[in-house]
Amino acid sequence: MMPAYMFSYFEFNPIVNNFLFLNWNSTNGSGITGICVAVLALILILELIRTLTEYLTHLSRADPLSLSTSVPISSDRSPLLRALMIPPSVENVKKYRIKLHLIKSLLVPLQMFAGFLLMLAVMTYNAFVFLTLVIGGGVAYFFFSYIRDRIKCKFAQQTKSYSEESELIRQAMTSSSRIQQYNKIEGTTP
């Protein structure tokens, strides 16, 4: 049965009836504390899902050779040779990326579900719940954004090293083509 009147203003009231689900009621301070702890846990879960999604996105965009465990990449090889290596199996790379995409596709509905539950929590117009959501969201973002920044830095370093290698390859190819042009002009062959 729906109440005849719903509040359209925030109030500090420990009494909450049917919070998100039927018969989840709060009649005292410990009940509203439990609701606030549940909202805080939901916020943390939402930020964790966002962080995992971003990590999986970076993994799917990463160079497959940097993730390969079957073929060790020795550091004594020149950057030119390492950039020309081909993964042992392109099919394994495809399967790996499909698996990452599938995991991300499962995380998106969970993220939406958590977000909608938080929206419905705010719509109860309980000030305790609202303050928990705002403060908890800020604290969760503070901690998880640090983790996301570390992930970005990790993958940015890999991208930087690969861009340096591709620059070396471009320079080598440019100088090789210049030598060939010079030899054509001089009429000599190497």
Side-chain angles (χ1 to χ4, degrees), residues 80-164:
L80 294 174
L81 291 177
R82 203 166 38 141
L84 296 174
M85 287 180 57
I86 298 173
S89 171
V90 176
E91 284 300 316
N92 288 343
V93 173
K94 286 181 183 178
K95 287 179 186 177
Y96 178 73
R97 288 191 173 156
I98 288 172
K99 183 172 79 171
L100 290 177
H101 184 70
L102 180 66
I103 294 170
K104 284 187 342 185
S105 297
L106 294 174
L107 287 175
V108 167
L110 290 175
Q111 180 179 346
M112 289 177 60
F113 180 71
F116 284 132
L117 285 180
L118 290 173
M119 177 193 66
L120 290 173
V122 169
M123 290 175 60
T124 63
Y125 288 105
N126 188 300
F128 293 117
V129 173
F130 179 73
L131 288 176
T132 300
L133 202 141
V134 170
I135 294 169
V139 171
Y141 176 79
F142 177 77
F143 288 112
F144 281 103
S145 68
Y146 174 76
I147 295 170
R148 284 193 291 263
D149 288 344
R150 301 277 298 175
I151 291 169
K152 285 180 188 176
C153 288
K154 175 186 171 187
F155 285 100
Q157 288 173 352
Q158 287 179 352
T159 305
K160 181 181 176 186
S161 67
Y162 294 122
S163 64
E164 289 172 355

Side-chain angles (χ1 to χ4, degrees), residues 5-187:
Y5 177 73
M6 186 168 178
F7 296 114
S8 60
Y9 55 88
F10 286 99
E11 68 174 355
F12 288 95
N13 190 355
I15 298 173
V16 178
N17 293 320
N18 297 326
F19 180 76
L20 299 181
F21 299 102
L22 186 63
N23 293 327
W24 187 2
N25 301 319
S26 165
T27 56
N28 54 20
S30 63
I32 195 68
T33 303
I35 287 175
C36 290
V37 167
V39 166
L40 186 62
L42 198 56
I43 292 168
L44 292 173
I45 289 169
L46 181 65
E47 285 296 322
L48 177 67
I49 291 171
R50 287 180 183 166
T51 304
L52 284 174
T53 303
E54 186 166 334
Y55 177 69
L56 292 173
T57 300
H58 284 296
L59 271 181
S60 65
R61 293 179 182 166
D63 180 28
L65 289 176
S66 66
L67 304 172
S68 176
T69 56
S70 60
V71 177
I73 300 174
S74 61
S75 59
D76 61 337
R77 289 188 183 174
S78 74
L80 294 174
L81 291 177
R82 203 166 38 141
L84 296 174
M85 287 180 57
I86 298 173
S89 171
V90 176
E91 284 300 316
N92 288 343
V93 173
K94 286 181 183 178
K95 287 179 186 177
Y96 178 73
R97 288 191 173 156
I98 288 172
K99 183 172 79 171
L100 290 177
H101 184 70
L102 180 66
I103 294 170
K104 284 187 342 185
S105 297
L106 294 174
L107 287 175
V108 167
L110 290 175
Q111 180 179 346
M112 289 177 60
F113 180 71
F116 284 132
L117 285 180
L118 290 173
M119 177 193 66
L120 290 173
V122 169
M123 290 175 60
T124 63
Y125 288 105
N126 188 300
F128 293 117
V129 173
F130 179 73
L131 288 176
T132 300
L133 202 141
V134 170
I135 294 169
V139 171
Y141 176 79
F142 177 77
F143 288 112
F144 281 103
S145 68
Y146 174 76
I147 295 170
R148 284 193 291 263
D149 288 344
R150 301 277 298 175
I151 291 169
K152 285 180 188 176
C153 288
K154 175 186 171 187
F155 285 100
Q157 288 173 352
Q158 287 179 352
T159 305
K160 181 181 176 186
S161 67
Y162 294 122
S163 64
E164 289 172 355
E165 289 173 2
S166 63
E167 179 62 25
L168 285 173
I169 292 171
R170 188 188 66 74
Q171 289 174 358
M173 293 179 78
T174 303
S175 61
S176 172
S177 64
R178 286 183 187 156
I179 291 171
Q180 289 174 354
Q181 288 175 352
Y182 176 77
N183 288 339
K184 283 182 181 179
I185 293 171
E186 295 293 320

